[in-house]
Amino acid sequence: ATALAQQIAVFDSSRVLPLMPQHQQAEQELKNISQRLHNEYTLMQNEFDTKYSDYQLLNADPDTPATIRERRIQEIRQADQELQDFRKRSAETLAAERERLTQPVTDALNAAVAAVARQAGYSVVLDVAVTPVAYRADNTPDITLQIIDRLGL
């Protein structure tokens, strides 16, 4: 059991990632993309709200022809569908961008973990930030600082 225990180490990615400049850049770019999408959605929502308000005014006027009311209802439905479609596309865009921007960071971190583990002779390394660990002895090697050094941070 002792030999096996010596082959296992842990690290904490939540202590490493914030130190990585490429992680910080990816987070900032994702924040910018998210803000741009949010701003675009807000504009679309405002247009929808305006169409709806205009319709309410037209609908309150008994002299408004039914054809105009129907056309405005269609415009509101179309605007609502466009909002829903934009929401879906935005979520997909953000997920794809997150993957694109974080993959190089993940690859660099994984390479550093593998290098430190190989050098120290560990066959298993658990990231305590994402892997639930039911029990960890006080003497379980924590290689977080070696990973930070390996990354040059």
Side-chain angles (χ1 to χ4, degrees):
T2 305
L4 178 61
Q6 292 305 315
Q7 294 175 354
I8 298 174
V10 296
F11 82 104
D12 187 347
S13 64
S14 69
R15 290 176 47 207
V16 179
L17 289 172
L19 301 176
M20 296 176 72
Q22 57 270 56
H23 173 72
Q24 295 167 6
Q25 291 165 351
E27 288 296 314
Q28 184 59 49
E29 192 166 339
L30 284 170
K31 184 178 174 184
N32 293 344
I33 292 167
S34 179
Q35 186 62 50
R36 180 181 51 80
L37 292 170
H38 174 75
N39 290 346
E40 195 171 336
Y41 180 80
T42 300
L43 286 174
M44 292 175 72
Q45 181 67 52
N46 289 342
E47 288 175 14
F48 174 85
D49 292 344
T50 299
K51 286 181 183 190
Y52 187 73
S53 295
D54 290 349
Y55 169 75
Q56 286 180 319
L57 290 174
L58 282 174
N59 197 39
D61 182 357
D63 295 331
T64 303
T67 55
I68 291 178
R69 288 180 190 178
E70 283 301 315
R71 187 178 43 175
R72 293 294 168 94
I73 289 172
Q74 268 314 107
E75 290 173 1
I76 290 169
R77 286 182 182 144
Q78 181 179 351
D80 184 51
Q81 185 61 50
E82 288 171 1
L83 278 170
Q84 291 176 35
D85 293 347
F86 183 81
R87 233 180 283 136
K88 181 180 176 193
R89 280 192 319 273
S90 293
E92 291 167 354
T93 297
L94 202 53
E97 287 298 308
R98 181 176 309 285
E99 176 67 24
R100 180 184 71 80
L101 292 167
T102 60
Q103 192 59 52
V105 176
T106 302
D107 291 346
L109 179 59
N110 288 342
V113 170
V116 170
R118 273 193 303 275
Q119 184 179 14
Y122 298 117
S123 58
V124 176
V125 178
L126 302 173
D127 181 355
V128 295
V130 295
T131 306
V133 178
Y135 171 76
R136 181 175 128 200
D138 290 339
N139 64 348
T140 302
D142 184 334
I143 60 172
T144 303
L145 294 178
Q146 290 100 316
I147 292 168
I148 291 170
D149 288 343
R150 179 71 182 205
L151 289 166
L153 305 173

